[in-house]
Every structure is written in structure tokens, then in C-alpha cells.
Amino acid sequence: MSNYHIKHLEEYYQVYRKSVRNPEAFWEEIAEEHFLWRKKWDNVLSWDFKKPEIKWFEGAKLNITENCIDRHLATRGDKTAILFEPNDPNEEAQHITYKELYKRVNKLANVLKDNGIKKGDRVCIYLPMIPELAVSLLACARIGAIHSVVFAGFSSTALATRINDSDCKLVITSDGSYRGKKTIDLKGIVDEALDDCSGVNTVLVVNRINSEISMKEGRDQWLQPLLDKASESLTATVMDAEDPLFILYTSGSTGTPKGMVHTTGGYMVYSAYTFKNVFQYKEDDIYWCTADIGWITGHSYIVYGPLANGATTVMFEGVPSYPDYGRFWDIVEKHKITQFYTAPTAIRALAKEGVEHVEKHDLSSLKVLGTVGEPINEEAWHWYDDNIGKKNSPIVDTWWQTETGGIMITPIPFSTPTKPTYATLPFIGIQPALMDEKGKEIKGNQTDGRLCIKFPWPSIARTIWGNHQRYKDTYFSAYENMYFTGDGALRDEVGYYRITGRVDDVIIVSGHNLGTAPIEDAINEHPAVSESAIVGFPHDVKGNALYGYVILKETGESRNHDNLRKEINQIITEQIGPIAKLDKIQFTNGLPKTRSGKIMRRILRKIASKDTSNLGDTSTLLNPECVQDIMDNVL
Ligand code: WT7
């Protein structure tokens, strides 16, 4: 028997040692005993971080949806697979059983096929958090189409960039979405995006808000009538373990977003195995992750990981503040949630509203709490522990990335003693390393450095869609024979890791990964702007907020600065989305630059954070005189 379910700390260490001593044998055993393969692999792992090339379970054949749905039908057919909680608390929750999910996925897969989608084609999914979203991912996977989910908070420009980058043929969207009291015209955003996407010939539209929308003849079709006619059965397409399952975009520090490519077999094994252990999932649990499926957290820990374990996974359409700030806790009580997984930014926002929203609700069903997306500060950690877990539910602070596909550093509840702000220990099979700036590994405890991973794990992204060179440059070039995460971390005296934040030009705002370059590009499109630089500064709810330094052209200098600020944020909203709006915009005459012309963000970051006691060495600056001026006018 393999160690599929770890129950105490000694077992963790024992399994961990086994997993790193002989990773191939370890993962082979897990894969063999807990998943359904049409054909077993010829080779467990081949890898070369120099190329880079990573292959897990090569030669194996499977379909991930047979693992997430079909194999549960005999034993759990009437169990709820997806529990849908609508935006409006008065609208009834939907319990979608495994049997129903099977039919819904097959129907949609048949509709996709009828519309010419074949194995390997890319399908863009731009939907709110409604059951059709999860069904769409699975329907693509059922026929071997590669899904590319775009978070429905992204703007039309951002959507168009992503559709074109991966050459999607078909888009699944809805007429609109509910967000608290508001409705959002999603179809309008799609229409605008598609003006720039000539490759899309079909748009399937879910009716969610019953709104009057325009349908483009020959391109747009309401989904429901097609589903009504579609067959409930379909044989899943047999995939190779290394066939792409999906593309998911993440921001880089420069240029266009990176379409991270995840493949089928390894991703399935790792997302399922981590889900089982990190949440200590048991058969009758009701698990809820509040993330959106538009992010990797939703892919791995709302859809694939839970369903591969035959779990009940909750999907929530709404927002934590509607109809009031007790909504999360109302849902926990109503559905007797056992595992609750959310973001530090949500915890901080709710903590601010006071415990009275919590106290009205019975949270005694909770067993495990989780956080993800950014470092959790000590205060938020204790608030979560005291008020939600009542000091009785371990908190798993899970560190991972879009690129890693699954959780990498985390406590295992009831095994690993937790420590506030520490993600604690590497998960089974994960070999972290801390590196110094010269490229040497720092051994021993009580140290800090740049976080790398030494050895492949099954769900590592295999490439960046259409740009393997960028994959190599971004992740495998900074340190020899290592995957570089872009994060800094420290290791304490017992070997626990604490993630200290990004060391590159990516800023995490409310748990959203934002690159500085695309935002600066957007700002620079304003006709009055000549140059700009973005940095993050500490924010008590969002973790980080964005601070922009903007140099105006002569034509802009006489303009009203508040109006300019609004216009700049408007452009950012149009190009990227409201999540990338700047909290503060300072107009300045110069930006500190090195002799090679690179902006010294380190200095700008310190000024924006009001931490100017030690600006570090400014002697290498080309224009040191601008620093004082920027400091004098800081907002
Ligand atoms: C970056 C990845 C993983 C899903 C959500 C974000 C930061 C993530 C933690 C954590 C400290 C964290 C890192 C990482 N991050 N989790 N528990 N503690 N930082 O995925 O958008 O790919 O962002 O989020 O900086 O590199 P992502």
C-alpha cells in the first residue's frame, strides 16, 4: 500500500524521505494505486533542466475526466460532486451529483465536437463562477481540447491578447454575471475582444442573467438549446500523459502574459495527491475553496484535485460582502463546510468588518483552514485562527504558483505543527533550495535566499505556449540545474520556510500576480505620459497596492492632475482590468536610473513604502538628483 494519506508527523518525514530518495518509485506507486489508466507508462520520469524538458509517465494513456467522474459513478453516483452556491442567497443552491456531472460534461463535450473542436484545439473559457465553468473545463478535457480559462474580471484587451496568443477557435461565455448587487456585461466584453480575434469562429453563450444581448449571426449561439439536443454519452478521448491539458496565463515581469502549459498525467496525480493530504480530505467532507476557477487555485483545488478524489466541491458565485460581510460564514454554516480555503486579502478585508459578522454563525463543522496567494501577516493569521478556527482547526499556509500546478510548501494538518506566517515544510516529493545572489546554494538552517526547486515534480508546467525560450530564460537560467520561483524565502532553525515575497518585478496585489511591465505599457499609452514606473507598497487589506511614478510630456504638465490620474486608471482598467488600478500616482520630473538605463525600482519601492532611512547605494545612478525631489513629493 502506498502512503496516499499521511496521518502524523513521523509518517510525513518517513514518506518525504522515501519520495526524495527515489522519486520515480514513489510517484509510480501513487500513480498505479490511485488512478485509472488506459495504459501504464513506459517510463516514470525523464528530465533535463538545461533544455529544459520534463516528462512524467511517458507512454501512459488516460483521460483525466474518467478519473474525475466515470470511476466514481458506481460508488458515488448520487453523491454531490459540485455544490453551487449562487450570488443571491435566496436563490436555491444546486447539488450536482456525479451522475449528473457525467451527463452535463458529455453533453457539452458533444456540442464542442459538433462545432468542430478536436483534440489539441484551444478553447477559451470566459465565464463567471457558475457550474457551466467547471463543466466547460471537463468537457474540453473529455475530448482532448486544451482549455484556456481567462478570469472574467479581465478586460476585453487582456482577453483578446490571451485568445490570440494561444489561437483559440471557440469561446464559451455567458450573457453576463452577478457580482453582489451588480451585473456585469460579459458578452459585451467578449464582443469587443473578438473584434481583434480573427481566429474565433464560434461563441457559445450561457444564459445566466437573462439580459438582452446582441448575438452575431453565424458566430454566436445560445448554449442551452444545443445542450438540450446533445447526447448524454460520449467515449472519452484517450490522451497521452504528456498531452497538454490546459493553458493558463500568468503575468511576467516583462512583456506579454505567459501561457503556462500543464499536461495531463502528472498534473492529475499531483493535484489529487496534494488535495487529499493538504486538506486531509475524508469521504463525507464538504470542501470549499473560495478562489475563482480563472486562477490556478480553482483549476487544481476546485475542479481537478477534489473531483479526482470523489469529493464534494463548493463553487460560490458571489462576493464575501454580499448581502453582508457574514456571507462566507453563512455559507460555512449552511453547507456544513469542513475545509475552507481562501486568500489572506479576503481574511484581512473581513477582519476589518469586525467579529460580529462571524459570531452570528455556527462554524463548528470546520476542520481545516487554508490560505494561498500571498504571504499571510501575523495579525491576519491569528484573527483566522481565533475567530474562524476557534484555535481548533489547523491553518495550512500553502505556497505554490501557477507554474507549479499544485501546492509545494505547506503544513500537513494534524501532522505539521503550524507557525504563523510560515508555509512550513516542503510537500512530499518537493526539494527546495535557497540560493545566494552568486548562484550558490545556501545550506543549513536560519538563513534566507532565493527560492529554487532542485528536482521535478509531476505537475510542473512543461513550457510557455509558443515560447519555449522564454520558459527556459524565466525559470531555468538564473541558477544552474534549478527551477527558479521568483520568490525570496527564509528557513528557520527547524527547517520551516517563510516566503518573504517576490524578488523580481512581479507584484502580488490582493493575491493577484501582476507584472510591472504591462501596467507601465498601458500607462504610457496615455497621450500626456512620457514615462512611468510601478512599484508595490504595503497595504493593510490588499497586502500590496500599486504606486505609480509618472513623467508627463510637456503637453500634459498643465493638465489637472486628478483628472489625469482618473484617465490613467481608466486605461489600465481597459487594458488589463480593475485589479491593476493604481492606488497612488505621483507625477515627477525624473526616475532614478542606472547608467545602463534600467529604472532602480528598489529606491522607488522604499520611497513609496515611506522607508527612506536607508536607500542603499545611489552612487551608480545616472541622475541621483531626482531622488530627493521624488522623496519631497511622495504621496
Ligand atoms: C506567487 C504565485 C498559487 C495560487 C495562487 C497564486 C505568491 C502564493 C503564497 C503563500 C506567500 C505566496 C508567491 C508566488 N504566493 N502563495 N502561501 N505565501 N506567497 O498563484 O498567481 O501564480 O502567484 O504568489 O509570490 O510566487 P500565482
Side-chain angles (χ1 to χ4, degrees):
M1 252 292 281
S2 69
N3 297 87
Y4 193 65
H5 201 172
I6 294 152
K7 287 172 234 63
H8 49 81
L9 191 60
E10 240 147 83
E11 191 180 11
Y12 159 79
Y13 279 116
Q14 176 226 322
V15 179
Y16 181 77
R17 278 194 294 270
K18 187 169 136 187
S19 74
V20 298
R21 233 177 256 146
N22 193 343
E24 284 91 341
F26 175 79
W27 289 113
E28 175 160 50
E29 207 178 302
I30 296 289
E32 201 144 42
E33 288 181 22
H34 302 280
F35 298 90
L36 189 70
W37 304 86
R38 292 284 192 97
K39 173 186 172 286
K40 295 275 162 74
W41 42 92
D42 304 317
N43 190 18
V44 179
L45 169 67
S46 63
W47 66 291
D48 178 352
F49 276 176
K50 289 199 176 68
K51 271 183 173 172
E53 188 178 79
I54 303 140
K55 291 180 177 164
W56 282 92
F57 308 115
E58 210 179 347
K61 306 270 185 202
L62 75 155
N63 187 289
I64 194 168
T65 68
E66 293 185 332
N67 282 273
C68 289
I69 309 172
D70 304 41
R71 67 166 162 153
H72 306 310
L73 292 176
T75 49
R76 306 183 174 102
D78 295 316
K79 177 175 174 176
T80 302
I82 295 175
L83 203 175
F84 172 61
E85 172 69 24
N87 176 65
D88 178 353
N90 298 315
E91 187 182 325
E92 214 172 308
Q94 288 177 35
H95 295 254
I96 300 165
T97 64
Y98 274 94
K99 272 188 197 151
E100 284 159 9
L101 184 62
Y102 173 80
K103 291 183 199 162
R104 287 177 70 162
V105 168
N106 280 342
K107 277 174 169 280
L108 181 53
N110 277 318
V111 170
L112 292 174
K113 269 175 96 175
D114 291 345
N115 280 280
I117 298 299
K118 296 183 302 292
K119 180 178 169 185
D121 287 344
R122 274 79 61 206
V123 170
C124 174
I125 303 172
Y126 188 73
L127 280 172
M129 280 287 285
I130 53 177
E132 286 81 357
L133 174 51
V135 171
S136 294
L137 271 69
L138 296 162
C140 288
R142 189 105 182 136
I143 59 171
I146 302 169
H147 57 73
S148 169
V149 183
V150 177
F151 171 59
F154 275 119
S155 71
S156 58
T157 314
L159 175 60
T161 305
R162 287 159 176 76
I163 289 174
N164 287 332
D165 183 77
S166 49
D167 212 355
C168 295
K169 283 170 87 173
L170 183 147
V171 178
I172 309 176
T173 189
S174 65
D175 57 343
S177 66
Y178 294 117
R179 259 188 93 72
K181 274 184 252 165
K182 289 192 286 192
T183 56
I184 294 161
D185 175 21
L186 285 191
K187 177 62 166 48
I189 297 172
V190 170
D191 288 342
E192 238 177 85
L194 293 190
D195 285 343
D196 299 320
C197 305
S198 54
V200 173
N201 45 41
T202 310
V203 179
L204 301 175
V205 186
V206 177
N207 179 359
R208 175 56 185 145
I209 66 168
N210 263 319
S211 72
E212 296 265 328
I213 54 166
S214 68
M215 298 287 279
K216 187 168 170 185
E217 183 75 43
R219 187 193 72 184
D220 304 350
Q221 302 175 72
W222 288 106
L223 183 58
Q224 195 55 51
L226 304 178
L227 292 173
D228 291 342
K229 280 183 285 183
S231 160
E232 284 175 4
S233 60
L234 173 134
T235 314
T237 300
V238 178
M239 306 292 285
D240 284 338
E242 281 298 334
D243 278 338
L245 174 64
F246 65 85
I247 300 168
L248 187 62
Y249 286 87
T250 187
S251 314
S253 43
T254 55
T256 50
K258 299 171 289 194
M260 304 313 306
V261 177
H262 283 283
T263 57
T264 308
Y267 175 81
M268 171 182 77
V269 169
Y270 196 77
S271 61
Y273 183 63
T274 48
F275 173 77
K276 178 82 178 176
N277 283 293
V278 173
F279 299 104
Q280 286 293 300
Y281 170 75
K282 303 229 169 61
E283 186 63 40
D284 295 321
D285 289 346
I286 311 283
Y287 161 88
W288 180 22
C289 165
T290 71
D292 193 289
I293 293 175
W295 310 114
I296 190 71
T297 309
H299 282 58
S300 302
Y301 300 113
I302 296 178
V303 182
Y304 291 112
L307 297 178
N309 281 283
T312 298
T313 179
V314 173
M315 272 183 82
F316 175 45
E317 183 185 29
V319 293
S321 55
Y322 178 79
D324 61 43
Y325 283 95
R327 186 68 191 277
F328 273 5
W329 322 124
D330 178 49
I331 297 171
V332 168
E333 177 174 7
K334 179 174 167 190
H335 297 302
K336 301 204 166 43
I337 303 293
T338 45
Q339 288 92 353
F340 178 74
Y341 190 29
T342 196
T345 188
I347 297 167
R348 288 190 297 263
L350 293 172
K352 243 180 124 171
E353 300 300 324
V355 286
E356 59 272 23
H357 295 288
V358 181
E359 282 163 353
K360 283 184 213 140
H361 299 284
D362 175 7
L363 307 183
S364 59
S365 56
L366 289 170
K367 296 193 290 189
V368 176
L369 302 176
T371 74
V372 60
E374 59 185 308
I376 180 163
N377 50 308
E378 190 136 8
E379 201 186 338
W381 195 97
H382 283 296
W383 187 87
Y384 201 28
D385 187 38
D386 293 347
N387 297 295
I388 308 306
K390 322 280 183 202
K391 287 199 157 57
N392 203 17
S393 300
I395 296 176
V396 289
D397 175 352
T398 64
W399 173 84
W400 57 298
Q401 310 178 294
T402 304
E403 295 85 338
T404 70
I407 293 167
M408 301 287 282
I409 301 182
T410 180
I412 291 181
F414 315 108
S415 294
T416 320
T418 57
K419 177 173 175 181
T421 77
Y422 281 75
T424 74
L425 297 171
F427 189 74
I428 307 301
I430 304 305
Q431 304 186 35
L434 294 179
M435 308 297 289
D436 69 18
E437 291 190 21
K438 295 195 185 76
K440 250 189 73 198
E441 182 173 353
I442 312 165
K443 297 272 171 114
N445 291 342
Q446 279 190 297
T447 182
D448 64 0
R450 290 164 180 232
L451 180 61
C452 288
I453 314 289
K454 289 189 208 181
F455 194 88
W457 60 99
S459 65
I460 183 174
R462 304 297 198 260
T463 189
I464 292 174
W465 184 263
N467 199 344
H468 198 66
Q469 186 62 41
R470 189 174 180 197
Y471 174 71
K472 180 177 178 170
D473 294 345
T474 310
Y475 305 107
F476 299 94
S477 301
Y479 302 98
E480 208 185 328
N481 246 337
M482 299 259 179
Y483 166 82
F484 174 47
T485 65
D487 283 323
L490 58 83
R491 193 162 50 212
D492 77 359
E493 63 287 354
V494 298
Y496 275 16
Y497 288 85
R498 174 187 188 162
I499 312 303
T500 47
R502 303 290 309 187
V503 295
D504 57 9
D505 291 337
V506 169
I507 307 169
I508 313 273
V509 178
S510 298
H512 299 311
N513 192 327
L514 299 170
T516 50
I519 304 174
E520 289 163 5
D521 291 347
I523 299 171
N524 298 348
E525 285 193 16
H526 191 290
V529 171
S530 98
E531 208 184 341
S532 61
I534 302 298
V535 296
F537 70 99
H539 184 281
D540 61 356
V541 172
K542 302 186 207 179
N544 294 297
L546 299 177
Y547 193 112
Y549 297 91
V550 174
I551 304 179
L552 292 173
K553 292 180 188 158
E554 270 176 35
T555 49
E557 279 172 9
S558 57
R559 299 252 340 253
N560 175 302
H561 282 183
D562 282 337
N563 287 344
L564 281 171
R565 288 190 178 97
K566 278 190 202 126
E567 289 166 20
I568 287 170
N569 269 330
Q570 183 57 31
I571 296 185
I572 294 173
T573 305
E574 281 159 17
Q575 301 256 323
I576 300 158
I579 49 175
K581 282 205 280 195
L582 310 183
D583 269 43
K584 293 184 183 176
I585 300 178
Q586 177 179 352
F587 295 103
T588 170
N589 294 319
L591 291 168
K593 287 191 179 163
T594 62
R595 281 166 211 285
S596 61
K598 198 172 183 288
I599 296 170
M600 278 262 236
R601 282 172 218 279
R602 178 172 55 81
I603 292 175
L604 295 175
R605 221 175 279 137
K606 288 205 157 186
I607 297 175
S609 310
K610 310 250 160 73
D611 167 27
T612 49
S613 55
N614 176 15
L615 283 182
D617 184 13
T618 55
S619 65
T620 56
L621 285 179
L622 195 62
N623 51 347
E625 68 286 351
C626 74
V627 175
Q628 190 59 48
D629 182 56
I630 294 175
M631 274 173 28
D632 291 344
N633 292 297
V634 68
L635 299 174

